[in-house]
Each structure stands twice: as structure tokens, then as C-alpha cells.
Amino acid sequence: MKQYKFSDNFLFGSSTSGPQSEGFYNKANKNIWDYWFEISKEKFHNQVGPEYTSNFFRDYKDDIKLIKETGHNVFRTSIQWSRIVKDFNTLELDETAVEFYNNVIDELIKNDIEPIICLYHFDMPLKLQEIGGFENREVVELYARYAAKMFEIYGDKVHKWFTFNEPIVVAEGGYLYKFHYPEVVSFKRAAQVVYNMNLASAKAVKAFKESGKKGDIGIILNLTPSYPRDENNKEDLKASHICDLIFNRSFLDPAVKGEFPADLIDFVNENNLTPICEEGDKDILRENTISLLGINYYQPRRVKARESKFESDALMPENFFEPYEMPNRLMNPYRGWEIYYKGIYDIAKNIQENYSNIKWLITENGMGVENEERFIKNGIVEDDYRIEFVSEHLKWLHKGIEEGSNCIGYLMWTPIDCWSWLNAYKNRYGFIRFDLESGKKTIKKSGYWFKELVKNKGFEG
Ligand code: BGP
């Protein structure tokens, strides 16, 4: 048995997002999820949409009580652009929403829980999607102005901000693989979205600096470390390098280093994917790098060189690699994602060695499990698998920190079972169970375990 101790000011908590927890409650505007559910209910698991979710808008006080009872010293959520802004051009705000987010922030602080706020979590306002979403430069400007407004009104109380959650997923889901609206399949348009979101993020960082508010600003990236099937096979290495460029470094490098990797620029030029750029963009990226990096880690990406031709009408990332199923890999069968504990350490070392050891934290890590009611004993979900999942990741993270990686916290996905996009309530991730029928919220075994972990600043394992 070994003691795994974390520093006294280490952040322990969890993350959710506005669209996945609040419910609709007369929002000023619809976002693309509200709309997509309206027109395509059948796409959503059991046809459950975003209108109710776990009712954070109504129940935030009780929810924060539960979050407190599970030991959190930090909690992350997102502001819904479509809720707080009434008119995107004049930036007229919705007063009920302003008050709601203000109350949430106050309630957290009152409970000694630090609020971390993200400004965009997959939730493009429908009106802005109608003019092209992040393909349109005008939306980049509107986003930067919205961000500036949020710093102005909440910047005295919130000291950790994030511009985007998993921006690469916006491009993947909406413009390549059809698991987000607008269900477009175009590598070129995806590249434009990636480019414009990088710019939008840098412009928000600029606005934050200009606001003069105290604190850190960053971006949240879902890093999927790329592992080649065979380290000694040149073609496998090339495939894994391309994946790393597309899925990780397309945001990581501009955010931290202020520029796109040269190999990525060559790749987009060679494949006719070059986005439309404007003069001055390079300066904006270079001058507005982040001070804090959020990393969501769920799974590695194992790849090999293509063994057969990829059949598709349009050019896709898969033209350049094939997924590799490593024998004996550990799987989360419900989500279909590999669990690879050491990946979190590899990320820690990568950030330390290649990204100037920037201050970072895990903003999501988690295990979605189906039919968790199977594990209820005496009214409590006995989720020992989740305890194992967290502790095994923390052991590797601890090693990375011991070796000097500048990680300041670990946030799980998610406090209370929440609505998960197309999967709705299929897989449960929370420390706290949400009973869909009765609306009851009950702390799971992992929630009590987490409380002890935070109290002791570590665990024995
Ligand atoms: C991340 C997202 C979250 C959350 C989580 C779990 O990618 O930031 O919003 O949903 O994944 O994934 P899923 O809901 O797809 O099971």
C-alpha cells in the first residue's frame, strides 16, 4: 500500500455544463440542441431531450448542497450564450439569466467551492448557427464580445475562465461525423471551424486581459494521446503523428504556443483544406496565449497505417489512418471507449516537456455506466468500478506531478448524473444519482469516497 498525497491547495471537484444540467426554463434563445431535438427526436436515446435535464436552473441550491456533501472545493459549469444574451447584436442581456448565474456563483462561494466558468460547451445559439455558426467570422466577433461582457459582469468573483470546451468536438461532431447539428460532412469546412474557433478563443483571451480582472483564462481540450500500433513501424508512426496534429495539436499549439504546428499547415495545404485567413490573425494568436490549460481525458487513440483503402465520397481524416484495436485493452463497454490509466501520465509529461510546463488541470475524466440501478444496495449505488477508475488515474497523475508536471487539480465528469447529448441518460457518470422518474438525487458510494479523498488530500492504494 502506498500513500498518494496531493498538495493542500490541490483542486478536487467535478464539471458539468449549462445545456446538460439546467433545463430549458424560458431561455431567451434556443441553441442547436434545443432545435435539433425539436426536429429529430428519434436521434436522442429514448427520445429524451435537453428541456428538463437535472433541473439545475430550478434546484441549484439543493444541488450545490449535495456537491458540498461530496467534498468538492471546486465546481465547473458553463454559461449558456443562448440563455444570457437576448439580442446577439446589441448584446442586450436577459436579466433573469444574469441573476441566475450570479446566484449560482454566490452560492458556490458561500459554500467555499471555487466556481470555474466555461463560456461555450457545444451550444451554439440557433440564430447564430443560421448565419453559419463558427464558419462565419461575424460569429467569431459576436462570441468575443459576449465573452468580454461576461468578464465585466462576473469577473470580480470568478477567477478561472475557459473559452471553449472541447472545440475539436464541435468540428468533428458538426462537420465530419454527424453527431452534432448541423450534421455536415466536409473536412474543409471543419478546418475553417477549427481555425475560427482558435481565433475566437484568442480574442476572448485578449478581452480578458483588457478587462483587467484577476485570474486565469484558458481553453479546455479533450486530449487523446496518439499511440501507433508499432513504435518501430514508420507508416504507423506517420499515421499517429497525423492524428496528433488533427485531433490534439490543432488547438493545443495555438492556445499555448501561439501558432499552428508547421506540419499541420503543410497537411492542410497539401490536402486543399486551407481555411480563409485574414491579415492580423497571426498576431492575435501569438499575442493571446492562455495561462491555464484544461484537459479532458477519457481515452487514448490507437492507430495504424491504412491497410485497405478508405471508401468515402469525401476526404476524411480516416483517409490517413486506421483505428487499431490493441489486444487485451481494457474497455468501458457502455461507452465503447478504452480505459488507459497511464494516458493521464503521458499527457502530464507531454505538457511538462513540450508545452513549457504550463499550469494545467484535469477538467474532465469519467466513466459512463448503463443501468446503474443494478448496483443499488440499501438505496445507494455501489459504484466500486468508479472508485477504481478515479484512484487508478490519480495514481498516474500523482506520479506526473511528483516528476514536476504543473497540474493543479482534478475534476471528474460529473457531479450529478446529467443529460449527455444524443445519449441522453443512457450512461451515468455522476457522484450523485439522478432518478429520472422521481427526480430524486442520491449520493453514490463514489461520492462518499470522494469526500474522504478530498478531506485527506489523497488516499492509500
Ligand atoms: C465530454 C463532454 C461532456 C460529456 C462527456 C461524456 O466530451 O465535454 O459534455 O458529455 O464528454 O461523454 P458522453 O456524454 O458523450 O458520454
Side-chain angles (χ1 to χ4, degrees), residues 32-50 178-183 419 421-424:
I32 50 173
W33 294 95
D34 303 319
Y35 175 68
W36 205 19
F37 182 67
E38 230 173 69
I39 58 164
S40 298
K41 285 197 177 45
E42 69 292 347
K43 289 201 158 91
F44 293 74
H45 183 73
N46 287 344
Q47 308 210 5
V48 176
K178 303 216 276 195
F179 60 90
H180 284 194
Y181 189 78
E183 300 181 89
W419 181 80
W421 318 112
L422 292 184
N423 277 337

Side-chain angles (χ1 to χ4, degrees), residues 205-307:
V205 171
K206 184 166 185 270
F208 183 72
K209 289 197 285 193
E210 286 169 0
S211 76
K213 303 288 181 188
K214 280 194 303 220
D216 284 303
I217 184 152
I219 192 165
I220 294 169
L221 304 180
N222 51 311
L223 297 185
T224 45
S226 277
Y227 301 104
R229 166 183 53 185
D230 177 357
E231 286 277 356
N232 299 311
N233 176 328
K234 262 199 184 151
E235 293 306 310
D236 285 355
L237 280 170
K238 195 171 151 198
S240 115
H241 179 57
I242 288 181
C243 284
D244 194 30
L245 290 173
I246 297 175
F247 298 109
N248 297 321
R249 295 184 58 194
S250 57
F251 280 99
L252 183 57
D253 283 44
V256 181
K257 299 182 174 175
E259 58 183 14
F260 289 98
D263 287 3
L264 181 60
I265 297 175
D266 291 346
F267 175 82
V268 297
N269 289 340
E270 279 159 20
N271 291 290
N272 219 359
L273 300 169
T274 318
I276 300 164
C277 315
E278 282 180 18
E279 228 185 290
D281 288 356
K282 268 192 181 167
D283 297 337
I284 290 171
L285 291 174
R286 200 183 47 245
E287 288 160 15
N288 298 291
T289 53
I290 59 170
S291 62
L292 176 67
L293 176 65
I295 296 178
N296 295 351
Y297 175 61
Y298 287 93
Q299 56 171 341
R301 184 186 296 273
R302 298 193 191 276
V303 294
K304 59 185 179 185
R306 287 222 62 91
E307 287 173 347

Side-chain angles (χ1 to χ4, degrees), residues 16-17 20 76 121-122 165-166 169 179 220 222 296 298 335 337 364 366 368 413 418-424 427 429:
T16 189
S17 75
Q20 290 175 274
R76 168 192 150 217
H121 199 120
F122 305 161
N165 175 75
E166 304 190 350
V169 173
F179 60 90
I220 294 169
N222 51 311
N296 295 351
Y298 287 93
R335 191 59 179 85
W337 287 346
E364 284 180 37
W413 186 264
C418 67
W419 181 80
S420 269
W421 318 112
L422 292 184
N423 277 337
N427 303 316
Y429 285 86

Side-chain angles (χ1 to χ4, degrees), residues 29-233:
N29 284 284
K30 283 179 194 160
N31 65 33
I32 50 173
W33 294 95
D34 303 319
Y35 175 68
W36 205 19
F37 182 67
E38 230 173 69
I39 58 164
S40 298
K41 285 197 177 45
E42 69 292 347
K43 289 201 158 91
F44 293 74
H45 183 73
N46 287 344
Q47 308 210 5
V48 176
E51 72 270 53
Y52 300 115
T53 69
S54 43
N55 296 315
F56 189 65
F57 186 84
R58 188 190 67 196
D59 300 339
Y60 72 92
K61 276 196 181 164
D62 292 336
D63 287 0
I64 291 172
K65 238 186 237 156
L66 288 169
I67 288 168
K68 179 75 183 166
E69 276 174 44
T70 45
H72 291 52
N73 58 26
V74 66
F75 167 75
R76 168 192 150 217
T77 188
S78 72
I79 291 176
Q80 289 197 65
W81 191 1
S82 56
R83 182 186 293 288
I84 204 159
V85 178
K86 242 187 182 165
D87 183 313
F88 301 103
N89 289 306
T90 63
L91 212 53
E92 184 196 342
L93 299 182
D94 181 280
E95 284 314 316
T96 313
V98 172
E99 198 189 322
F100 164 66
Y101 291 114
N102 201 32
N103 290 343
V104 168
I105 292 165
D106 284 348
E107 191 68 19
L108 287 166
I109 296 172
K110 204 169 90 191
N111 281 284
D112 293 319
I113 300 170
E114 181 180 358
I116 296 186
I117 300 292
C118 181
L119 294 171
Y120 187 93
H121 199 120
F122 305 161
D123 53 340
M124 179 60 74
L126 180 61
K127 281 192 187 132
L128 301 184
Q129 188 62 52
E130 283 166 356
I131 58 165
F134 277 119
E135 281 182 272
N136 182 347
R137 283 287 286 230
E138 205 183 313
V139 174
V140 171
E141 295 309 322
L142 293 174
Y143 168 81
R145 284 176 52 209
Y146 147 68
K149 193 76 192 166
M150 296 304 105
F151 306 142
E152 181 192 316
I153 61 178
Y154 300 125
D156 290 331
K157 302 184 202 175
V158 175
H159 303 297
K160 288 187 181 63
W161 292 93
F162 286 104
T163 57
F164 289 124
N165 175 75
E166 304 190 350
I168 193 68
V169 173
V170 175
E172 288 178 69
Y175 297 85
L176 283 169
Y177 305 119
K178 303 216 276 195
F179 60 90
H180 284 194
Y181 189 78
E183 300 181 89
V184 166
V185 181
S186 161
F187 205 167
K188 193 166 171 77
R189 289 172 66 181
Q192 187 70 57
V193 167
V194 168
Y195 182 81
N196 285 356
M197 287 186 85
N198 269 298
L199 210 58
S201 182
K203 285 185 182 228
V205 171
K206 184 166 185 270
F208 183 72
K209 289 197 285 193
E210 286 169 0
S211 76
K213 303 288 181 188
K214 280 194 303 220
D216 284 303
I217 184 152
I219 192 165
I220 294 169
L221 304 180
N222 51 311
L223 297 185
T224 45
S226 277
Y227 301 104
R229 166 183 53 185
D230 177 357
E231 286 277 356
N232 299 311
N233 176 328

